[in-house]
Amino acid sequence: MLVLDAVQTRAALPWDGLVKALGDMFAKGCVMPVRHHHEVEVPGEADATLLLMPAWQPGAYVGVKMVSVFPGNQTRGLPAIHGSYLLSSGKTGELLAIVDGGELTARRTAAASALAARYLAREDASRLLVVGTGRLSTNLIEAHTSVRPIRHVTIWGRDPKKADATAKELELQGVEVAVASDLEAAAREADIVSCATLSTEPLIRGGWLKPGAHLDLVGAFKPSMRESDDEAISRASIFVDTREGALGEGGDIVQPLRAGVITEDAIRADLFELARGSHRGRTASGEITLFKSVGAALEDLAGAVLAFEASRA
């Protein structure tokens, strides 16, 4: 049995290969039951979340990820996300690999955003703003720069020191990296705005988005969370990773739906439709696009299979 730690998992999931693997899996599909989603009380802190996400390709692979999200870890200097992925044979049930779940989650999440950006961001997008300074921020920057000609990266966080530390972690050749003190000013200049936070109040205002901008909403994975306001949702062409997930869990979609700001018909397409070519994605250079992801077990399975096969080879 193969066991991959965080470093080995990262090495086995290069961005070009991972984005392609996700695209192929969305195009082909797999069996993906409804995931288990449980609230876990943490005395004196915000509730944690326990996720169990199964998926399989009949006769090929069976996988399940167990992930915990503890928001209070930010005050302890620990990652908010921990987890493991168990990959088994789809023919015998034999356990084949245990993959580091935190690294897999971070990279497949960022790769899903990059896959969406291939269809939704302008081909000449060169200015990226990342909102948030958690584990996902550097992954999102690397993933987006792998699919678009990003030359300027700006990082904004509630804590400027964390934003500065995130900027110093990056090693991107030919890319200028800066820390933003003014979120509005940075958003107005950005071709791509990528948010990865646990915010319960909108951070990005629709009036800040310039024509042709692409808004990538990765955080806010509960109905009570939100990273964009009603104007952003109203101005943008809306796309999601999976309709079921976005309509059930993504606060940026759920809240405006409940308020009557949009209807379900406002969602133009999901990643299945984009990957299969049944929707072209962006249709005009001045169109504002919005992609909301909450994660899907399919993405974990695609990443785990890629990591296993690459490491075995």
Side-chain angles (χ1 to χ4, degrees):
M1 181 185 68
L2 182 68
V3 178
L4 299 178
D5 63 18
V7 174
Q8 294 166 323
T9 299
R10 188 181 311 122
L13 298 176
W15 294 116
D16 55 348
L18 183 55
V19 173
K20 181 181 184 303
L22 262 63
D24 290 344
M25 188 69 84
F26 272 106
K28 297 175 183 176
C30 68
V31 181
M32 190 168 53
V34 176
R35 64 183 174 185
H36 297 261
H37 189 290
H38 303 281
E39 297 295 318
V40 179
E41 294 95 352
V42 182
E45 298 181 9
D47 287 349
T49 304
L50 176 64
L51 300 172
L52 301 173
M53 304 171 66
W56 59 86
Q57 296 171 301
Y61 294 102
V62 176
V64 63
K65 185 175 73 172
M66 182 179 77
V67 170
S68 63
V69 182
F70 280 72
N73 280 355
Q74 293 182 2
T75 64
R76 290 183 279 268
L78 296 173
I81 300 173
H82 292 280
S84 297
Y85 196 92
L86 278 64
L87 184 69
S88 301
S89 167
K91 293 182 179 180
T92 67
E94 175 190 5
L95 183 60
L96 301 174
I98 299 176
V99 182
D100 182 83
E103 192 65 29
L104 174 63
T105 300
R107 292 186 79 82
R108 65 80 157 154
T109 301
S113 286
L115 175 64
R118 279 187 168 174
Y119 300 103
L120 304 177
R122 287 174 51 123
E123 292 187 2
D124 61 352
S126 63
R127 304 187 73 91
L128 170 66
L129 166 64
V130 169
V131 179
T133 57
R135 183 176 192 172
L136 268 174
S137 58
T138 53
N139 285 278
L140 284 165
I141 292 167
E142 292 173 358
H144 279 300
T145 56
S146 77
V147 298
R148 284 295 182 264
I150 302 298
R151 292 293 175 264
H152 304 275
V153 171
T154 305
I155 303 167
W156 181 89
R158 297 185 191 275
D159 185 342
K161 292 182 179 179
K162 290 184 178 179
D164 186 61
T166 300
K168 291 178 179 177
E169 287 181 28
L170 294 169
E171 296 180 2
L172 299 172
Q173 188 172 4
V175 178
E176 177 186 343
V177 181
V179 173
S181 58
D182 186 332
L183 179 57
E184 178 180 349
R188 288 184 180 277
E189 294 182 353
D191 299 313
I192 300 174
V193 179
S194 185
C195 299
T197 74
L198 300 176
S199 179
T200 57
E201 299 293 336
L203 294 169
I204 299 298
R205 307 290 173 178
W208 300 350
L209 301 173
K210 67 181 183 181
H214 173 57
L215 179 57
D216 175 43
L217 303 175
V218 180
F221 62 92
K222 295 181 182 180
S224 59
M225 297 175 174
R226 194 165 184 187
E227 296 179 310
S228 63
D229 68 356
D230 286 346
E231 186 177 358
I233 291 292
S234 299
R235 291 187 68 195
S237 299
I238 303 170
F239 299 83
V240 298
D241 55 352
T242 67
R243 291 177 186 269
E244 182 180 23
L247 291 172
E249 300 178 31
D252 288 280
I253 304 297
V254 172
Q255 291 185 36
L257 275 173
R258 290 175 178 172
V261 176
I262 59 170
T263 65
E264 291 187 18
D265 292 339
I267 298 176
R268 303 289 181 89
D270 58 22
L271 277 180
F272 292 103
E273 294 163 299
L274 291 171
R276 293 167 183 170
S278 56
H279 194 291
R280 61 180 292 189
R282 172 177 290 273
T283 57
S285 61
E287 180 181 12
I288 295 174
T289 55
L290 182 153
F291 175 67
K292 175 58 189 168
S293 67
V294 295
L298 173 154
E299 299 164 9
D300 297 304
L301 180 62
V305 170
L306 175 62
F308 171 68
E309 293 184 345
S311 299
R312 185 179 59 177

